[in-house]
Amino acid sequence: MTEQPRHQFERGTDGPKVIVAGLDGSDSSLRAAAYAAGLARRQNALLALVYVQPLMPAGASLGVPVAGTTEEIAADLMAEVRSAAERTKGTFEVRWEFHTFRGDPYNGLVTAADELKADAVVVGASESAGHRFIGSVALRLVKAGRWPVTVVP
């Protein structure tokens, strides 16, 4: 049996360094972003807020232009995040970035978490009744088992 070197405690190195929070403008996603911001502040981690722009929403199949709409949503979310950051400036300091990805919410968040080297993912609970049958994004992220996932109601 070989002796293991004694591990020395390293202050400030435990916990997540990058926390990804899914943001889509719903109440539960906004609560998830606020919760993730608190985690990031306490852990001195980077908060990566991620909005996944859908590739083909239902309106697109009916000929409704949607590319501009999803860009508008992203811009509105970014403005809301900036406003919240300004309101808390001096009281709570959080390092944050805003990212947009394209695709379905699950694959977009997986891509974001992989590319940003996330240590944790925070999402809001689904507000859609259909997810009871096909599974929510949160459930699919938990089942992937690649990061700790926090689901905020």
Side-chain angles (χ1 to χ4, degrees), residues 21 23 28-40 42 47 49 122 152:
L23 190 61
S28 66
S29 79
L30 294 172
R31 286 190 297 271
Y35 181 86
L39 286 176
R42 288 185 295 279
L47 173 61
L49 297 167
V122 180
V152 177

Side-chain angles (χ1 to χ4, degrees), residues 49-75:
L49 297 167
V50 175
Y51 169 63
V52 180
Q53 296 182 27
L55 288 176
M56 181 83 154
S61 63
L62 302 173
V64 177
V66 292
T69 304
T70 59
E71 294 292 334
E72 236 176 78
I73 292 169

Side-chain angles (χ1 to χ4, degrees), residues 95-111:
R95 295 181 302 119
W96 63 275
E97 300 173 350
F98 184 83
H99 300 270
T100 60
F101 289 83
R102 290 193 183 274
D104 68 276
Y106 170 76
N107 287 314
L109 286 172
V110 166
T111 300

